[in-house]
Amino acid sequence: MKITTDNIDDFATGATVLGTGGGGDPYIGKLMAQQAIEEHGPVDLIDPRDVPDDALVIPSAMLGAPTVMVEKMPKGTEALAAFEALETHLGQEAYATMSIEAGGLNSTVPIAVAAALGLPLVDADGMGRAFPEVQMVTLTMGGVSATPMSIADEKGNSLLVNTVSNEYAEAFARVTSIEMGGACMIGTYALSGAEVREHAILDSMSLAHDIGEAIRTAKHRSQDPVEAVLDLTDGYELFAGKITDVERRTEGGFAVGEATLDGIDDCEGRTFALDFQNENLVARDSERGVVASTPDLITVVDAETGDPVTTERLAYGHRVRVIGMPCSPKWRTEEGLDLVGPAYFDYSIDYEPIETLQQPRHD
């Protein structure tokens, strides 16, 4: 498949659905990708099974608080600077780039990098969704190091980080992103084709395209776009409501907060609470209690259009629907839950798969 200016909207929309509220503003990333494709030509989306075992793949990403990216527009050169700095340091020419997460901006930045450098994009990512911290990738469970990591900002500053663990990579990179104004671009998790196949989430970019295409097609046919997404992802509609309050702050390099909804339609008379740290983490219904939690995907979409709403765009009065989708089985292992389960974020709840939580409860 080729990524072109004709289908970039589908990729951006679908990736934002998978991004669970995080991954950065999709509009900014889409513009970056569109401009790069217009200047340099389409990008080949390649099957990870076709990447040579010893080929070098360098993921490209934004790191920081999504709220900052709404006002701090990328210059456009920092992602390339970070990518090329890491490539030079490794002393090997990259075969391809890859998304580190399925999220709005972070699924389209690699498209821009691929177009500008004439590289293909691997149809895979490190999460199958978005998570707030560097070490929160399935690659960590596979023993792939986040460093050496290159970091660059729009002012021309750049540095290379080497750490003894991916957790330390998160700590140092987060402090650096704050000093760079709250957001920066990185090249990280350089890995081989064999490691991509063994440890990454495969076919996630083509899934993002299919989700975006399904939303667009459903709207064109006056059908329900949310149902189209749920069919593709084996998901569930968790709630329909109007946002009545949003408590949001930028804290420690993250967008942290809670949104409260009053029910509409079939959910009238109930309330709903959504906790987030860049990404949506836990969803609670006033009658049913916890209805979904990390690492399963929780996404807010516009009640009418089905377009995804990121956490920095949640606003009072917005009528939305909240959907939940099962995560990759890799995250449901003991090691996966240690990295991204509710306990990591200090929630005193046990993880239950969304499929279990959505079954009828009998008192």
Side-chain angles (χ1 to χ4, degrees), residues 234-251:
D234 295 323
Y236 303 86
E237 183 165 351
L238 305 178
F239 199 77
K242 182 175 73 173
I243 298 175
T244 56
D245 188 40
V246 181
E247 178 190 339
R248 181 172 44 225
R249 59 198 180 277
T250 301
E251 183 178 282

Side-chain angles (χ1 to χ4, degrees), residues 290-331:
V290 174
V291 291
S293 75
T294 178
D296 286 326
L297 287 66
I298 306 166
T299 296
V300 178
V301 301
D302 183 272
E304 300 300 324
T305 67
D307 291 330
V309 182
T310 54
T311 55
E312 69 269 23
R313 298 291 186 184
L314 296 172
Y316 175 83
H318 197 166
R319 295 168 73 89
V320 298
R321 294 158 76 178
V322 185
I323 62 176
M325 298 160 279
C327 64
S328 164
K330 291 178 185 284
W331 289 125

Side-chain angles (χ1 to χ4, degrees), residues 173-202:
R174 190 66 52 181
V175 170
T176 302
S177 75
I178 294 171
E179 291 300 319
M180 286 181 164
C184 56
M185 295 294 178
I186 61 174
T188 185
Y189 283 103
L191 71 169
S192 68
E195 288 173 322
V196 170
R197 283 187 292 280
E198 186 172 357
H199 304 304
I201 306 296
L202 307 185

